[in-house]
Amino acid sequence: MNKFIKKYSTIAVIWLVAVIAAVLFLPNMGNLEAEKGQTKIPDNMQSQVANNIEKHWGHHISNTNQVVLVYNNGDKPITKSQQTKIDNKIKDLHNHADKYDIKGITSVVDTPSAKGQLISKDKSTELVQLNVSKKDSIEAMNNKLKKGGKIDGLKSYVTGAEILNDDMRLSMVDGIKKTEIIAIIFILIVLIIVFRSPVFPLISLLTVGVSFIVSLSVVMNLVKYFDFPLSNFTQVFMVVVLFGIGTDYNILLYNQFKENLADGMDKVAATISARKTAGKTIRYSGISVLIGFAALGFAKFSIYRSGFAVGVGVVVLLMVLLSLNPFFMAILGKKMYWPVKDMKGQKQSSALWGILSKKSVEYAVPAIVFVLVVTLPFIALGHGNLNYDQTVELSNKIPSKQGLNVVQKHFTKGTAEPSTIYIKSDHDLANEKSLMEIDRITNQLRSRKDVKTVASVTQPNGVPLNQLYLNDQLSTLTGKMGQANAGLSQIQQGASSSPFNGDQLKAIGASAQSIGSRLQAIQASAVGSSVSGQQVIADMQAKATAMGSPLSATQMQIIGAVLQQSAAQQAGLSSQLNGIASDTQNIGNNTQAMANQLEGVQGKLTQANKGLTQISSGMGQANDYLSQLQDSAAAANTFYIPTQVLESKTFQTAVNSYLSQDKNTARIIVVLKSNPSGAAAIKSVNQIQNQVKQNLAGTDMKDATVAVGGQTATIADTNKIASSDFMRTAVIMLVGILIALIFVTKSMLQPVYILGTLLIAYFASLSITRIFSSVFLGQDMLTWTTPFFAFIMLIALGVDYSIFLMQKYQNILPSAAPATRIVHAAEFIGVVVLSAAVILAGTFAALIPSGVMTLIQVAITVIIGLVILIIILPILMSAGIKLTYPDQETTKHTK
């Protein structure tokens, strides 16, 4: 066996083993893209700072996915029976929170005060906000909630930023499958038509397929084990680039091989010669493309940096094409072009490029002016805003996108994607002073014309709590002071309207003393007039004897006993009278003393009444002042939270919602009036962050970290870093390609002509794509990734055709004048370039059925750019050669 064939047979076996190993060790790409393929913004950007704060928020919702359940009854209000179903579903989610990994629920059932935020004005749509653990993948979580949250009789949707991003990933996967199939079929058909052989197309697809499988496995393993940059676009761009330029390189290589066979070389010699001649051009072109994609490694933005994977694929592609192709060429020879047998009859030239090149050489300056006149108007129209709304990438048939559309229709676009301002301090914020600052910022944000609603710990329902402001508290205070003042007036009136008269008490005292004296006199009289018992008996005996009936001794004893008892009773009565007289006299004395004392008190009361009058007047004046203060703007805007309110259970609910678990971080939720993904919202978010920072200056929270999270903040950061990264990466790429072209062309001016041509094609095609997208796709703006990826693809891939042309220019008719050589080179290589451009354009056209807007717009831009390029490339390069060598005679071109 020929040593050459033996060598490359061994290489073919090695590539076979490499393919098998690549398939066996290929990681799960779906998991990798879900885990590491999302757009990553540098950690120091505000949205990422906010995300990091949110991860450590506490309250059992740290590091969770925010999901929204959307229940909609079309354009009709939700009925009572439907509302009951929703309430029951919310209770069911509470009861089975572990099943769905739900860590927090915000609903009308849990928070009735949030009704205005969770139920649309037309009553047709209700939202239930969930914080779901990141235990499961987004796809698995979405599937569980779609099933568990469904309510019969209502349109039910599960949506949210994470779910929308994951659906975009799944859409991209489906798009890649379509692209691969369409691209392969297209390439196969075109190659069969151009070369009229089924063998060559199959071998070309086989070699390119080997390079794709091996490089894809290498990239995914780098991602898995070394955190190599990855995005949703990585695989799809590897497909179109490798199959596009791989087929182009094969066309160049196989054309040269066919030419060698036509010149009578045997298959081994033809292979060696083709590998040397065309291989040189392929290496130069591949290195230029590699430089273009390698420049992406210097990007800071993950989605841009992920394009470096295409550079890895280009390296593998060059290795495969220049080592595996020779095996098939040396083995098959002319059979590669079966059923064609006459190799000589296959030589062709491009009439289009020949005419364009010849006319440009003859009229160099007018040719350049013509190109500029035609393209500059399109370039001038190319300015416009970019669309940073990633949901535009999704079809409206996807449930999560439908849910988002419902929310935006029945609420506002801002309600669907609110912005969250985080204020992270180094101390506890649950105090009157800090809360006053938060409330002040909340009110200032609400006063902005671009803000719809603001909610914070002091205004949890999006409106100020009157009880926390001085005017409401002063209203209560002035009311109580009014009551106190009225009481003082009554006391004052009683004290002044009934003056005390002591004469009555003095008269009562005198009467009491008189009664006592008289009782004492009676008692004394009774004692003084008493007669002894012996005298009474003696008198009675005398009278009885005079009457002739003297008393017997017994009778006298009885009368004596009776008199003795009566004397005893009289003595007791006298004692009682004496006591009564004494008490009565004491009453009289005390009454007179009281009268004297009350007369003294009456004087003091007169003085007290004057004091009460002064107090009442002062309280009236104070009450008038407080009433005026109550009605003033100062009181209306002055926040004050009493200790009992701060410690109340009701306020603690707001604290748990708007302060972190350690109470060192506060959040303020802002709903913008404009589309949260639009340019106006991006501007607003940046202004809001600066405003909050300025408002905290000079306060105890002056050193606090302020960061804005949410979709708009993410877009704002994306806009900022994407713009700067685009410019920096583009410059690196252009400089790298310029240096490579200097070595390839061995000229300083020709690389400038080439890059100028590519840039004209890029800017013109981008502008035309914008117009096309507006007219036919219903999208007035290009997606934010379209200009970047279109630039990379068009510049990196378009430089190939320039190198094809200039390599042929250097090798053809060495003794002829430069103008003649460029015309011949254009004629000869034009066929290859046109075929390659058709293949590449068709490969990118395979992206259009993907349904992903970025891929569609990039594809259209590249296709239009290729059309422009294949027209202006022979014009500008030929005119440039003529102007570079004006003194050398132009040889008339003849067939």
Side-chain angles (χ1 to χ4, degrees):
M1 181 184 292
N2 186 289
K3 290 183 179 180
F4 182 88
I5 296 177
K6 185 177 181 180
K7 174 184 175 181
Y8 282 95
S9 296
T10 302
I11 292 175
V13 173
I14 292 174
W15 282 118
L16 177 61
V17 173
V19 170
I20 295 173
V23 173
L24 292 177
F25 292 101
L26 181 65
N28 188 312
M29 293 186 293
N31 292 341
L32 282 179
E33 289 177 350
E35 179 183 355
K36 301 182 178 183
Q38 303 305 312
T39 301
K40 297 178 182 178
I41 299 174
D43 293 337
N44 62 334
M45 304 297 284
Q46 67 163 337
S47 62
Q48 300 311 298
V49 173
N51 288 344
N52 187 54
I53 293 174
E54 190 274 334
K55 288 180 181 179
H56 300 88
W57 185 258
H59 298 303
H60 306 292
I61 62 172
S62 297
N63 202 27
T64 57
N65 294 313
Q66 297 180 351
V67 181
V68 179
L69 298 182
V70 182
Y71 297 109
N72 172 254
N73 192 33
D75 294 326
K76 299 178 180 179
I78 293 174
T79 64
K80 290 184 179 180
S81 61
Q82 291 172 334
Q83 186 63 56
T84 301
K85 291 181 179 180
I86 296 175
D87 295 343
N88 291 336
K89 178 58 66 176
I90 294 172
K91 294 177 182 178
D92 181 69
L93 291 174
H94 274 292
N95 295 334
H96 299 87
D98 292 339
K99 176 181 178 181
Y100 302 106
D101 298 316
I102 297 174
K103 301 301 181 182
I105 299 178
T106 302
S107 67
V108 175
V109 173
D110 305 284
T111 314
S113 57
K115 184 177 181 180
Q117 297 171 302
L118 300 176
I119 297 180
S120 61
K121 290 184 178 180
D122 62 5
K123 312 298 182 184
S124 67
T125 308
E126 182 170 339
L127 308 181
V128 179
Q129 299 172 345
L130 308 176
N131 290 94
V132 185
S133 169
K134 293 184 178 181
K135 176 182 177 181
D136 292 332
S137 67
I138 302 295
E139 184 178 2
M141 175 193 70
N142 188 16
N143 290 333
K144 283 200 299 186
L145 290 176
K146 279 195 294 188
K147 182 178 180 181
K150 185 178 181 181
I151 296 178
D152 294 335
L154 278 171
K155 297 177 182 177
S156 307
Y157 307 98
V158 181
T159 189
E162 288 84 359
I163 290 177
L164 289 166
N165 288 335
D166 194 63
D167 281 343
M168 179 181 171
R169 176 186 66 83
L170 296 174
S171 296
M172 195 74 72
V173 171
D174 292 338
I176 291 172
K177 293 177 181 178
K178 296 177 183 177
T179 298
E180 289 174 341
I181 296 173
I182 295 173
I184 290 173
I185 294 175
F186 176 82
I187 291 172
L188 189 61
I189 293 175
V190 171
L191 290 179
I192 291 175
I193 293 174
V194 172
F195 292 92
R196 296 192 292 276
S197 170
V199 180
F200 160 64
L202 291 174
I203 294 175
S204 177
L205 289 173
L206 175 62
T207 55
V208 174
V210 168
S211 64
F212 172 71
I213 293 172
V214 173
S215 60
L216 182 64
S217 183
V218 170
V219 166
M220 291 302 170
N221 277 285
L222 289 173
V223 171
K224 181 178 181 179
Y225 296 107
F226 301 99
D227 287 331
F228 194 77
L230 178 70
S231 74
N232 292 330
F233 296 99
T234 298
Q235 185 180 349
V236 68
F237 284 136
M238 287 184 70
V239 170
V240 294
V241 171
L242 295 186
F243 277 92
I245 67 171
T247 304
D248 291 351
Y249 294 165
N250 279 339
I251 290 175
L252 186 67
L253 181 64
Y254 295 160
N255 259 351
Q256 186 63 52
F257 178 61
K258 181 177 61 176
E259 208 175 294
N260 293 341
L261 292 175
D263 291 339
M265 294 183 183
D266 63 62
K267 56 186 180 181
V268 173
T271 300
I272 295 174
S273 176
R275 188 179 183 277
K276 179 180 179 181
T277 304
K280 181 180 178 181
T281 303
I282 291 172
R283 282 192 295 272
Y284 284 154
S285 298
I287 290 173
S288 298
V289 174
L290 176 60
I291 290 173
F293 285 103
L296 301 181
F298 295 98
K300 295 181 180 179
F301 203 12
S302 64
I303 194 170
Y304 289 174
R305 202 165 59 248
S306 67
F308 186 65
V310 180
V312 175
V314 171
V315 172
V316 176
L317 177 70
L318 294 176
M319 294 171 61
V320 172
L321 297 190
L322 296 178
S323 61
L324 186 56
N325 267 324
F327 167 76
F328 292 107
M329 292 160 64
I331 292 294
L332 297 176
K334 294 181 180 181
K335 294 179 181 178
M336 281 188 62
Y337 306 96
W338 179 88
V340 177
K341 295 181 180 180
D342 184 6
M343 299 294 105
K344 292 183 181 181
Q346 297 300 306
K347 288 186 177 182
Q348 297 178 357
S349 61
S350 172
L352 174 63
W353 270 39
I355 293 173
L356 293 176
S357 179
K358 181 179 179 181
K359 295 299 181 183
S360 298
V361 166
E362 293 178 2
Y363 308 101
V365 174
I368 295 175
V369 171
F370 170 77
V371 171
L372 294 177
V373 168
V374 173
T375 58
L376 285 180
F378 290 106
I379 295 175
L381 294 173
H383 300 287
N385 293 325
L386 299 177
N387 191 346
Y388 286 83
D389 185 0
Q390 292 192 359
T391 60
V392 74
E393 308 281 7
L394 295 173
S395 168
N396 288 327
K397 296 180 180 179
I398 296 176
S400 61
K401 178 69 174 294
Q402 292 175 340
L404 178 65
N405 291 339
V406 168
V407 175
Q408 292 181 343
K409 177 182 178 182
H410 295 279
F411 289 87
T412 63
K413 291 187 176 182
T415 302
E417 295 290 349
S419 296
T420 302
I421 305 168
Y422 291 95
I423 303 174
K424 183 179 181 181
S425 180
D426 57 358
H427 61 272
D428 192 326
L429 299 178
N431 59 79
E432 189 272 333
K433 190 174 183 179
S434 297
L435 292 175
M436 180 178 67
E437 295 299 334
I438 294 173
D439 191 74
R440 179 173 60 85
I441 292 173
T442 303
N443 288 326
Q444 289 180 347
L445 292 176
R446 179 179 291 103
S447 66
R448 291 178 60 97
K449 294 181 180 180
D450 53 358
V451 171
K452 181 175 178 62
T453 61
V454 184
S456 68
V457 62
T458 61
Q459 302 181 27
N461 300 325
V463 292
L465 296 176
N466 293 331
Q467 299 89 333
L468 303 182
Y469 290 87
L470 283 183
N471 61 343
D472 185 81
Q473 296 170 15
L474 287 172
S475 176
T476 303
L477 179 59
T478 53
K480 291 182 177 180
M481 286 188 69
Q483 294 175 358
N485 200 21
L488 284 174
S489 297
Q490 292 177 356
I491 294 173
Q492 178 188 1
Q493 183 179 3
S496 60
S497 63
S498 302
F500 175 72
N501 187 353
D503 294 340
Q504 295 177 350
L505 285 176
K506 289 180 179 180
I508 294 172
S511 299
Q513 287 178 333
S514 177
I515 293 172
S517 297
R518 290 179 181 182
L519 286 174
Q520 286 178 341
I522 294 172
Q523 188 267 345
S525 176
V527 172
S529 61
S530 63
V531 181
S532 64
Q534 294 294 332
Q535 186 177 359
V536 172
I537 294 173
D539 288 340
M540 290 180 67
Q541 182 66 24
K543 290 179 178 182
T545 301
M547 293 175 63
S549 298
L551 297 174
S552 63
T554 302
Q555 289 176 329
M556 289 179 68
Q557 288 180 350
I558 293 171
I559 293 171
V562 171
L563 288 173
Q564 189 176 3
Q565 183 178 6
S566 174
Q569 291 177 348
Q570 185 178 359
L573 177 61
S574 177
S575 177
Q576 291 177 1
L577 286 173
N578 188 47
I580 292 172
S582 178
D583 290 340
T584 303
Q585 195 165 21
N586 287 337
I587 289 172
N589 293 334
N590 291 337
T591 300
Q592 284 189 329
M594 182 183 295
N596 293 331
Q597 290 177 357
L598 286 176
E599 285 181 346
V601 171
Q602 175 65 34
K604 294 179 180 179
L605 282 175
T606 301
Q607 295 177 352
N609 188 40
K610 293 179 181 179
L612 288 174
T613 301
Q614 294 175 352
I615 293 172
S616 178
S617 176
M619 289 188 68
Q621 293 176 1
N623 200 35
D624 290 341
Y625 170 77
L626 292 177
S627 297
Q628 294 175 9
L629 180 61
Q630 171 194 343
D631 297 332
S632 69
N637 296 326
T638 301
F639 175 90
Y640 174 72
I641 180 169
T643 303
Q644 62 270 25
V645 176
L646 179 61
E647 296 175 353
S648 66
K649 292 183 179 180
T650 301
F651 190 73
Q652 287 305 307
T653 301
V655 169
N656 293 336
S657 297
Y658 292 95
L659 293 185
S660 60
Q661 191 166 357
D662 62 7
K663 296 183 174 59
N664 285 3
T665 305
R667 66 180 177 184
I668 302 174
I669 299 177
V670 178
V671 175
L672 299 173
K673 292 181 179 179
S674 59
N675 184 344
S677 301
I682 294 173
K683 182 179 179 181
S684 296
V685 161
N686 290 329
Q687 290 177 345
I688 285 173
Q689 185 191 30
N690 293 331
Q691 178 180 343
V692 174
K693 286 183 178 180
Q694 292 172 1
N695 286 339
L696 292 177
T699 71
D700 289 344
M701 293 187 286
K702 61 180 181 299
D703 297 325
T705 299
V706 178
V708 184
Q711 184 71 8
T712 306
T714 301
I715 291 173
D717 288 343
T718 300
N719 179 22
K720 183 177 180 180
I721 191 172
S723 300
S724 60
D725 234 21
F726 187 178
M727 294 299 298
R728 190 166 57 85
T729 306
V731 170
I732 294 173
M733 179 180 179
L734 291 175
V735 171
I737 291 177
L738 180 66
I739 294 172
L741 288 174
I742 290 174
F743 284 99
V744 172
T745 62
K746 299 179 178 62
S747 168
M748 297 298 293
L749 289 177
Q750 290 176 14
V752 175
Y753 300 155
I754 292 172
L755 289 182
T757 302
L758 294 175
L759 289 174
I760 289 174
Y762 166 72
F763 285 113
S765 62
L766 195 66
S767 180
I768 295 172
T769 300
R770 190 187 303 275
I771 297 171
F772 181 92
S773 181
S774 177
V775 175
F776 296 102
L777 302 179
Q779 295 293 330
D780 295 333
M781 296 182 289
L782 299 177
T783 66
W784 66 274
T785 49
T786 295
F788 179 82
F789 285 126
F791 178 84
I792 298 299
M793 298 299 168
L794 201 52
I795 301 299
L797 303 181
V799 74
D800 274 356
Y801 305 145
S802 304
I803 292 176
F804 289 178
L805 175 61
M806 299 316 296
Q807 279 288 293
K808 181 57 66 176
Y809 164 78
Q810 291 177 354
N811 297 325
I812 200 170
L813 304 175
S815 60
T820 301
R821 290 165 60 194
I822 192 65
V823 173
H824 279 280
E827 276 187 329
F828 183 88
I829 206 66
V831 175
V832 175
V833 171
L834 289 173
S835 300
V838 170
I839 294 294
L840 190 59
T843 304
F844 273 88
L847 296 175
I848 295 177
S850 68
V852 179
M853 187 56 62
T854 291
L855 297 183
I856 295 173
Q857 291 180 341
V858 169
I860 294 173
T861 304
V862 172
I863 293 170
I864 295 174
L866 289 175
V867 172
I868 295 174
L869 188 62
I870 62 176
I871 294 174
I872 68 173
L873 183 60
I875 296 175
L876 295 180
M877 291 307 299
S878 299
I881 293 294
K882 173 61 179 177
L883 294 176
T884 304
Y885 308 101
D887 297 331
Q888 298 190 30
E889 182 182 356
T890 301
T891 303
K892 296 295 182 181
H893 170 64
T894 58
K895 287 276 185 179

